[in-house]
Amino acid sequence: MSSIVPLRAAIGVATILLASSLTIAARADDASPWQRDGHSAVRLVAGSRSGAVLLGGIAFQLQPGWKTYWRSPGDSGVPPRFDFSKSDNVEAVTIMWPAPLKFDDGAGGHSIGYRDQIVLPLRIVAKAADKPVTLRAEINYAVCEKLCIPVEASAELGLNSVASTEDANLRAALDTVPKPANIGDPNPLTIRDVRREGPKNVVVDVVTPDSRNVNLFVEGPTPDWALPIPAPVQHGPPGVKRFSFELDGLPPGAKPGGAALKFTLVGPEKSYEFNTNLE
């Protein structure tokens, strides 16, 4: 038995369906398609647009047991590389790195990175605030279980949504990015002191309410510095978790005196970044 729908009602239904399809399309445009390999997937996500500075992200999914690496991979591993040079109407892209984890690398050392799911927030500056932005990324990274596998991916996404469905995910990712801090700040988790002991050893004193789940990472002034991961020192002063590392892994000709070091202090709930010049 057939039904006859009045024209006005049919137009109303068509309008609702059209609006729904546009909403679905808009939601789809908030993220690029997943680029998958055998053990991971990667895509771009876009936040709401307002003016010349936009928020986006690079989202990774990793299979259980697999990991990928932080900007400084530790004793082993491969840091990810990103190329945004083919983007349209993009002046600059700044990658913001969530607090990483420390992994046993199976060879007596440790690597630094992420597992499961991670979003790297992006701060994107448009050349012209009133024109469309298209972000294009060439992404090179490694995924590792017992062996490491290199992955290459390309992703493209327009960042033009007035209100994005990815805003909550991007805000959550931003909350995990270490906050800037100064040595000696009166936070419950902080670096109290950095000093050299002898020509090669550096000692870092950390104040923390929970010394069991605190990690410290150090980076040099340029990516070709490969400083070791600071190791906890047994029997430090009361209320202090002491770390130390040697000034190894410097590029040829580099002098440690006066070098600008970046420390990332990661606790179970908070994380901070400290910049200091080595004595």
Side-chain angles (χ1 to χ4, degrees), residues 60-199:
F60 293 89
Q61 288 183 344
L62 304 168
Q63 284 189 345
W66 290 77
K67 60 182 179 290
T68 193
Y69 293 101
W70 191 46
R71 63 185 180 230
S72 177
D75 299 322
S76 60
V78 181
R81 296 285 181 259
F82 308 101
D83 181 358
F84 303 102
S85 61
K86 297 180 181 178
S87 301
D88 290 337
N89 191 31
V90 171
E91 181 69 32
V93 179
T94 301
I95 302 169
M96 292 171 278
W97 298 84
L101 304 170
K102 184 171 75 170
F103 302 100
D104 187 334
D105 67 5
H110 294 87
S111 58
I112 311 170
Y114 307 104
R115 62 189 175 200
D116 301 327
Q117 300 184 49
I118 190 70
V119 176
L120 307 182
L122 302 175
R123 182 180 183 273
I124 304 157
V125 179
K127 293 180 180 178
D130 58 343
K131 294 182 179 180
V133 169
T134 299
L135 189 67
R136 296 186 181 92
E138 300 293 328
I139 305 168
N140 293 271
Y141 65 104
V143 289
C144 300
E145 190 187 35
K146 295 179 180 178
L147 297 175
C148 285
I149 300 172
V151 181
E152 296 182 1
S154 299
E156 177 179 327
L157 182 63
L159 286 83
N160 302 304
S161 297
V162 175
S164 170
T165 58
E166 293 292 332
D167 283 344
N169 290 333
L170 289 170
R171 283 195 298 269
L174 281 172
D175 285 343
T176 66
V177 174
K179 304 300 186 287
N182 297 310
I183 291 174
D185 278 353
N187 298 321
L189 176 66
T190 189
I191 293 178
R192 188 170 73 179
D193 186 38
V194 178
R195 64 187 182 278
R196 292 176 69 173
E197 289 188 350

Side-chain angles (χ1 to χ4, degrees), residues 13 22 53 58 85 98 142 159 163 169 174 178 184 202 216 227 229 235 242 244:
V13 170
L22 290 175
V53 180
I58 305 172
S85 61
L159 286 83
N169 290 333
L174 281 172
V202 178
L216 182 68
L227 296 170
I229 299 174
H235 311 300
R242 178 166 289 173
S244 71

Side-chain angles (χ1 to χ4, degrees), residues 27-36 41-45 59 61 135 139 153-158:
R27 288 176 179 268
D29 288 343
D30 293 338
S32 66
W34 286 107
Q35 306 297 310
R36 301 185 183 276
V42 62
R43 69 176 180 176
L44 297 174
V45 296
Q61 288 183 344
L135 189 67
I139 305 168
S154 299
E156 177 179 327
L157 182 63

